[in-house]
Short mmCIF file of all heavy atoms in Angstrom, two decimals:
data_model
loop_
_atom_site.label_atom_id
_atom_site.label_comp_id
_atom_site.label_asym_id
_atom_site.label_seq_id
_atom_site.Cartn_x
_atom_site.Cartn_y
_atom_site.Cartn_z
N THR L 440 -3.14 10.22 11.44
CA THR L 440 -3.82 11.20 10.68
C THR L 440 -4.50 10.54 9.47
O THR L 440 -5.74 10.87 9.24
CB THR L 440 -2.85 12.31 10.04
OG1 THR L 440 -2.24 12.90 11.22
CG2 THR L 440 -3.54 13.28 9.17
N ASN L 441 -3.89 9.55 8.78
CA ASN L 441 -4.50 8.92 7.64
C ASN L 441 -5.66 8.03 8.11
O ASN L 441 -6.69 7.90 7.35
CB ASN L 441 -3.49 8.08 6.87
CG ASN L 441 -2.46 8.98 6.16
OD1 ASN L 441 -2.64 10.20 6.01
ND2 ASN L 441 -1.41 8.40 5.70
N ALA L 442 -5.61 7.45 9.28
CA ALA L 442 -6.79 6.65 9.81
C ALA L 442 -7.97 7.57 9.93
O ALA L 442 -9.09 7.13 9.58
CB ALA L 442 -6.34 6.03 11.08
N ILE L 443 -7.76 8.75 10.48
CA ILE L 443 -8.79 9.66 10.66
C ILE L 443 -9.43 10.10 9.34
O ILE L 443 -10.59 10.15 9.08
CB ILE L 443 -8.34 10.92 11.47
CG1 ILE L 443 -7.98 10.51 12.87
CG2 ILE L 443 -9.41 12.04 11.51
CD1 ILE L 443 -7.13 11.51 13.70
N ALA L 444 -8.54 10.45 8.36
CA ALA L 444 -8.96 10.91 7.01
C ALA L 444 -9.65 9.69 6.31
O ALA L 444 -10.67 9.95 5.62
CB ALA L 444 -7.78 11.32 6.20
N PHE L 445 -9.18 8.52 6.56
CA PHE L 445 -9.79 7.34 5.87
C PHE L 445 -11.26 7.17 6.35
O PHE L 445 -12.06 6.92 5.54
CB PHE L 445 -8.95 6.06 6.30
CG PHE L 445 -9.18 4.87 5.60
CD1 PHE L 445 -8.44 4.45 4.51
CD2 PHE L 445 -10.10 3.89 6.09
CE1 PHE L 445 -8.62 3.34 3.83
CE2 PHE L 445 -10.37 2.73 5.41
CZ PHE L 445 -9.60 2.41 4.30
N LYS L 446 -11.43 7.38 7.67
CA LYS L 446 -12.79 7.23 8.13
C LYS L 446 -13.71 8.37 7.57
O LYS L 446 -14.95 8.09 7.36
CB LYS L 446 -12.81 7.33 9.72
CG LYS L 446 -12.18 6.06 10.35
CD LYS L 446 -11.91 6.18 11.84
CE LYS L 446 -13.13 6.55 12.63
NZ LYS L 446 -14.04 5.46 12.96
N LYS L 447 -13.14 9.54 7.40
CA LYS L 447 -14.03 10.61 6.83
C LYS L 447 -14.39 10.31 5.39
O LYS L 447 -15.50 10.50 4.96
CB LYS L 447 -13.17 11.96 6.92
CG LYS L 447 -13.19 12.56 8.32
CD LYS L 447 -12.34 13.79 8.41
CE LYS L 447 -12.24 14.28 9.76
NZ LYS L 447 -11.29 15.48 9.92
N VAL L 448 -13.41 9.74 4.65
CA VAL L 448 -13.73 9.34 3.22
C VAL L 448 -14.86 8.23 3.32
O VAL L 448 -15.69 8.26 2.45
CB VAL L 448 -12.45 8.84 2.52
CG1 VAL L 448 -12.78 8.05 1.27
CG2 VAL L 448 -11.50 10.02 2.26
N GLN L 449 -14.74 7.34 4.22
CA GLN L 449 -15.74 6.20 4.30
C GLN L 449 -17.13 6.89 4.57
O GLN L 449 -18.13 6.53 3.97
CB GLN L 449 -15.47 5.33 5.42
CG GLN L 449 -14.34 4.34 5.10
CD GLN L 449 -14.12 3.46 6.34
OE1 GLN L 449 -14.04 3.83 7.48
NE2 GLN L 449 -13.92 2.15 6.00
N GLU L 450 -17.20 7.86 5.50
CA GLU L 450 -18.48 8.56 5.77
C GLU L 450 -19.04 9.28 4.55
O GLU L 450 -20.17 9.25 4.28
CB GLU L 450 -18.23 9.60 6.89
CG GLU L 450 -17.98 8.91 8.19
CD GLU L 450 -17.53 9.98 9.29
OE1 GLU L 450 -17.73 11.17 9.14
OE2 GLU L 450 -16.94 9.53 10.31
N GLU L 451 -18.10 9.85 3.72
CA GLU L 451 -18.63 10.67 2.59
C GLU L 451 -18.98 9.75 1.44
O GLU L 451 -20.00 10.02 0.77
CB GLU L 451 -17.46 11.59 2.09
CG GLU L 451 -17.84 12.45 0.93
CD GLU L 451 -16.83 13.45 0.53
OE1 GLU L 451 -15.79 13.64 1.22
OE2 GLU L 451 -16.97 13.95 -0.67
N PHE L 452 -18.26 8.66 1.20
CA PHE L 452 -18.46 7.81 0.04
C PHE L 452 -19.11 6.44 0.27
O PHE L 452 -19.40 5.72 -0.68
CB PHE L 452 -17.14 7.56 -0.75
CG PHE L 452 -16.58 8.79 -1.41
CD1 PHE L 452 -15.75 9.68 -0.66
CD2 PHE L 452 -16.91 9.21 -2.67
CE1 PHE L 452 -15.24 10.85 -1.22
CE2 PHE L 452 -16.38 10.37 -3.25
CZ PHE L 452 -15.58 11.20 -2.54
N GLY L 453 -19.30 6.11 1.51
CA GLY L 453 -19.78 4.81 1.90
C GLY L 453 -18.69 3.85 2.12
O GLY L 453 -18.84 2.86 2.94
N SER L 454 -17.57 3.90 1.46
CA SER L 454 -16.42 3.10 1.70
C SER L 454 -15.19 3.85 1.09
O SER L 454 -15.38 4.61 0.17
CB SER L 454 -16.56 1.69 1.18
OG SER L 454 -16.48 1.76 -0.23
N PHE L 455 -14.05 3.44 1.59
CA PHE L 455 -12.82 3.99 0.94
C PHE L 455 -12.67 3.40 -0.37
O PHE L 455 -12.18 4.01 -1.35
CB PHE L 455 -11.55 3.70 1.86
CG PHE L 455 -10.32 4.36 1.30
CD1 PHE L 455 -10.00 5.66 1.53
CD2 PHE L 455 -9.44 3.59 0.53
CE1 PHE L 455 -8.87 6.28 1.02
CE2 PHE L 455 -8.27 4.14 0.02
CZ PHE L 455 -8.00 5.47 0.24
N SER L 456 -13.02 2.14 -0.46
CA SER L 456 -12.91 1.46 -1.82
C SER L 456 -13.67 2.15 -2.90
O SER L 456 -13.21 2.25 -3.98
CB SER L 456 -13.46 -0.02 -1.64
OG SER L 456 -13.31 -0.70 -2.83
N LYS L 457 -14.92 2.55 -2.66
CA LYS L 457 -15.71 3.24 -3.62
C LYS L 457 -15.00 4.55 -4.04
O LYS L 457 -15.00 4.90 -5.21
CB LYS L 457 -17.13 3.62 -3.07
CG LYS L 457 -18.08 2.45 -3.04
CD LYS L 457 -19.45 2.91 -2.48
CE LYS L 457 -20.33 1.71 -2.27
NZ LYS L 457 -21.56 2.08 -1.68
N TYR L 458 -14.47 5.21 -3.09
CA TYR L 458 -13.72 6.51 -3.36
C TYR L 458 -12.55 6.19 -4.25
O TYR L 458 -12.37 6.82 -5.32
CB TYR L 458 -13.36 7.18 -2.08
CG TYR L 458 -12.17 8.15 -2.23
CD1 TYR L 458 -12.42 9.37 -2.76
CD2 TYR L 458 -10.87 7.73 -1.89
CE1 TYR L 458 -11.33 10.28 -2.99
CE2 TYR L 458 -9.81 8.66 -2.06
CZ TYR L 458 -10.04 9.91 -2.61
OH TYR L 458 -9.03 10.80 -2.76
N ILE L 459 -11.64 5.31 -3.82
CA ILE L 459 -10.38 5.17 -4.54
C ILE L 459 -10.61 4.47 -5.89
O ILE L 459 -9.90 4.86 -6.88
CB ILE L 459 -9.36 4.38 -3.63
CG1 ILE L 459 -7.92 4.61 -4.17
CG2 ILE L 459 -9.61 2.90 -3.53
CD1 ILE L 459 -7.38 6.02 -3.78
N TRP L 460 -11.46 3.54 -6.05
CA TRP L 460 -11.71 2.82 -7.27
C TRP L 460 -12.50 3.65 -8.29
O TRP L 460 -12.43 3.34 -9.46
CB TRP L 460 -12.37 1.49 -7.00
CG TRP L 460 -11.42 0.40 -6.64
CD1 TRP L 460 -11.10 0.00 -5.30
CD2 TRP L 460 -10.59 -0.41 -7.51
NE1 TRP L 460 -10.12 -0.97 -5.33
CE2 TRP L 460 -9.81 -1.20 -6.67
CE3 TRP L 460 -10.44 -0.42 -8.89
CZ2 TRP L 460 -8.84 -2.13 -7.20
CZ3 TRP L 460 -9.53 -1.35 -9.34
CH2 TRP L 460 -8.69 -2.18 -8.53
N ASN L 461 -13.12 4.67 -7.78
CA ASN L 461 -13.77 5.61 -8.77
C ASN L 461 -12.80 6.24 -9.69
O ASN L 461 -13.19 6.60 -10.86
CB ASN L 461 -14.49 6.75 -7.94
CG ASN L 461 -15.37 7.57 -8.83
OD1 ASN L 461 -16.17 7.06 -9.60
ND2 ASN L 461 -15.13 8.84 -8.77
N PHE L 462 -11.57 6.38 -9.26
CA PHE L 462 -10.49 6.97 -10.18
C PHE L 462 -10.28 6.18 -11.36
O PHE L 462 -9.72 6.64 -12.35
CB PHE L 462 -9.22 7.25 -9.36
CG PHE L 462 -9.32 8.40 -8.38
CD1 PHE L 462 -9.63 8.17 -7.05
CD2 PHE L 462 -9.22 9.76 -8.80
CE1 PHE L 462 -9.68 9.28 -6.16
CE2 PHE L 462 -9.29 10.84 -7.99
CZ PHE L 462 -9.54 10.60 -6.62
N THR L 463 -10.51 4.84 -11.25
CA THR L 463 -10.22 3.96 -12.38
C THR L 463 -11.52 3.39 -13.04
O THR L 463 -11.50 2.40 -13.79
CB THR L 463 -9.33 2.73 -12.04
OG1 THR L 463 -10.01 1.94 -11.10
CG2 THR L 463 -7.94 3.25 -11.50
N GLY L 464 -12.66 3.90 -12.60
CA GLY L 464 -13.91 3.48 -13.08
C GLY L 464 -14.27 2.08 -12.50
O GLY L 464 -15.06 1.34 -13.08
N GLY L 465 -13.70 1.74 -11.35
CA GLY L 465 -14.06 0.54 -10.64
C GLY L 465 -13.38 -0.69 -11.08
O GLY L 465 -13.52 -1.78 -10.58
N LYS L 466 -12.42 -0.57 -12.07
CA LYS L 466 -11.73 -1.80 -12.56
C LYS L 466 -10.25 -1.42 -12.82
O LYS L 466 -9.84 -0.29 -13.00
CB LYS L 466 -12.39 -2.32 -13.82
CG LYS L 466 -12.41 -1.33 -14.92
CD LYS L 466 -13.22 -1.96 -16.14
CE LYS L 466 -13.01 -0.96 -17.27
NZ LYS L 466 -13.96 -0.70 -18.19
N PRO L 467 -9.42 -2.52 -12.82
CA PRO L 467 -7.98 -2.33 -12.95
C PRO L 467 -7.60 -1.70 -14.37
O PRO L 467 -8.26 -1.98 -15.30
CB PRO L 467 -7.38 -3.71 -12.87
CG PRO L 467 -8.43 -4.59 -12.19
CD PRO L 467 -9.72 -3.96 -12.56
N ILE L 468 -6.62 -0.96 -14.40
CA ILE L 468 -5.97 -0.43 -15.73
C ILE L 468 -4.99 -1.48 -16.05
O ILE L 468 -4.02 -1.79 -15.35
CB ILE L 468 -5.33 0.95 -15.46
CG1 ILE L 468 -6.43 1.98 -14.99
CG2 ILE L 468 -4.63 1.34 -16.69
CD1 ILE L 468 -5.81 3.26 -14.58
N GLU L 469 -5.17 -2.13 -17.18
CA GLU L 469 -4.24 -3.08 -17.74
C GLU L 469 -3.22 -2.38 -18.55
O GLU L 469 -3.51 -1.76 -19.61
CB GLU L 469 -5.06 -4.09 -18.59
CG GLU L 469 -6.06 -4.89 -17.86
CD GLU L 469 -5.56 -5.81 -16.85
OE1 GLU L 469 -4.38 -6.30 -16.90
OE2 GLU L 469 -6.21 -6.15 -15.81
N ASN L 470 -1.95 -2.39 -18.11
CA ASN L 470 -0.91 -1.60 -18.83
C ASN L 470 -0.15 -2.40 -19.83
O ASN L 470 0.52 -1.80 -20.66
CB ASN L 470 0.00 -1.04 -17.72
CG ASN L 470 -0.62 0.18 -17.02
OD1 ASN L 470 -1.30 0.97 -17.75
ND2 ASN L 470 -0.41 0.28 -15.75
N ASN L 471 -0.16 -3.68 -19.79
CA ASN L 471 0.59 -4.57 -20.73
C ASN L 471 1.98 -4.10 -20.93
O ASN L 471 2.40 -3.81 -22.07
CB ASN L 471 -0.25 -4.52 -22.14
CG ASN L 471 -1.64 -5.07 -21.94
OD1 ASN L 471 -1.86 -6.13 -21.37
ND2 ASN L 471 -2.61 -4.32 -22.43
N ARG L 472 2.77 -4.05 -19.81
CA ARG L 472 4.17 -3.67 -19.89
C ARG L 472 4.91 -4.77 -20.56
O ARG L 472 4.83 -5.94 -20.27
CB ARG L 472 4.69 -3.39 -18.49
CG ARG L 472 3.81 -2.44 -17.75
CD ARG L 472 3.95 -1.00 -18.15
NE ARG L 472 3.25 -0.17 -17.18
CZ ARG L 472 2.96 1.04 -17.51
NH1 ARG L 472 3.19 1.65 -18.64
NH2 ARG L 472 2.32 1.81 -16.56
N LYS L 473 5.86 -4.39 -21.47
CA LYS L 473 6.74 -5.34 -22.07
C LYS L 473 7.96 -5.69 -21.21
O LYS L 473 8.51 -6.78 -21.24
CB LYS L 473 7.15 -4.94 -23.48
CG LYS L 473 6.10 -4.78 -24.44
CD LYS L 473 6.63 -4.68 -25.87
CE LYS L 473 5.38 -4.50 -26.86
NZ LYS L 473 4.22 -5.13 -26.66
N SER L 474 8.41 -4.67 -20.47
CA SER L 474 9.61 -4.87 -19.56
C SER L 474 9.42 -3.95 -18.38
O SER L 474 8.63 -3.01 -18.33
CB SER L 474 10.85 -4.53 -20.32
OG SER L 474 11.02 -3.11 -20.46
N LEU L 475 10.23 -4.20 -17.34
CA LEU L 475 10.20 -3.38 -16.08
C LEU L 475 10.60 -1.96 -16.41
O LEU L 475 10.18 -0.97 -15.71
CB LEU L 475 11.17 -3.96 -15.07
CG LEU L 475 10.72 -5.29 -14.46
CD1 LEU L 475 11.79 -5.77 -13.53
CD2 LEU L 475 9.39 -5.03 -13.70
N LYS L 476 11.41 -1.75 -17.48
CA LYS L 476 11.79 -0.38 -17.85
C LYS L 476 10.57 0.53 -18.16
O LYS L 476 10.71 1.74 -18.12
CB LYS L 476 12.80 -0.40 -19.02
CG LYS L 476 14.15 -0.94 -18.64
CD LYS L 476 15.05 -1.08 -19.85
CE LYS L 476 16.26 -1.82 -19.51
NZ LYS L 476 16.96 -2.38 -20.70
#
Side-chain angles (χ1 to χ4, degrees):
T440 298
N441 290 350
I443 295 165
F445 192 91
K446 289 168 57 79
K447 287 179 182 172
V448 166
Q449 286 180 315
E450 290 170 17
E451 183 178 346
F452 292 89
S454 72
F455 185 82
S456 180
K457 283 181 189 170
Y458 160 75
I459 201 77
W460 278 96
N461 187 55
F462 287 98
T463 66
K466 59 185 189 220
I468 297 168
E469 298 292 334
N470 285 320
N471 302 311
R472 308 286 187 196
K473 294 195 183 329
S474 74
L475 289 177
K476 291 177 188 161

